[in-house]
Amino acid sequence: MKKIGFLLSGSGSTLKNLIQKINEKYLEAQISVVISSKSNVYGLKIAEENNIPCFVVEYSEHKKDLDEYSKKITEILKKYNVDLVVMGGFMSFYKVPEIYTNKVLNIHPALIPSFCGKGMYGLKVHKAVIEYGVKITGCTVHFVDNEYDHGPIIYQEAIRVLDNDTPESLAERVKEVEKRVYPYVIKKILENKFRIINRKVFLEED
Ligand code: GAR
């Protein structure tokens, strides 16, 4: 059974969905550990309720030393011997060590390389999308490298921006798509059904 280490910072809706997909046996994997960059977030409660070991590595205490911050996270992931690291609503920077190259996934609520980068997360992304006036947004699953929202893109899906959308209504529709897309991509990656050539990722689609 493949082991997942999950990184979050907030409400944990992505974690909850992944747990559901594992329980439904859509995904043959186990979430071995959850690490949060913040204390007192609902995502930690979800981990506890599902008896998943969880840890807090406070980003606010490590802002000036990202090496130390990332080292602490890596130590926990190594201790739990994870095969894959999945970020879901993780709002801080994790420096990916060599051993986890192309083993850390993130989902971003827009079509990278637009509306991404430092400070672009959660509702801020949808607000920027609406203010700019683009008609299409979406979600992107990518491997994480050591630049914000920059690693090789694995999968993207487009979502129409409606004239009467608010950041909240758009976030809701994007999340609905993410609920289907992220488990699908995680499954492919766990089954090794992908190839990377330079920064191009090819998935063996169903
Ligand atoms: C998702 O929409 C995800 O794309 C976004 O956070 C939401 C999930 O949060 N992630 C980012 O903005 C990362 N840059 P949750 O799992 O805490 O509910």
Side-chain angles (χ1 to χ4, degrees), residues 111 126 129-130 133-139 157-166 169-174 177:
L111 295 175
H126 306 296
V129 161
I130 291 170
V134 293
K135 304 298 180 197
I136 301 282
T137 184
C139 61
E157 201 160 301
I159 295 153
R160 195 168 280 280
V161 181
L162 306 177
D163 287 348
N164 59 354
D165 259 330
T166 60
S169 67
L170 188 55
E172 204 53 45
R173 281 208 315 294
V174 172
V177 175

Side-chain angles (χ1 to χ4, degrees), residues 10-14 88-89 91 107-109 120-122 175 178:
S11 69
S13 68
T14 313
M91 310 302 189
I107 190 157
H108 183 74
M120 271 291 182
Y121 54 80
K175 273 193 181 179
E178 290 186 340

Side-chain angles (χ1 to χ4, degrees), residues 43 59 82 87 93 152 165 192:
Y59 180 62
V82 304
M87 293 180 174
F93 193 80
D165 259 330
N192 248 330

Side-chain angles (χ1 to χ4, degrees), residues 112 141-154 199:
I112 290 175
V141 183
H142 64 98
F143 286 115
V144 176
D145 65 6
N146 287 325
E147 284 178 51
Y148 278 102
D149 299 327
H150 172 270
I153 291 172
I154 308 169
R199 57 165 289 129

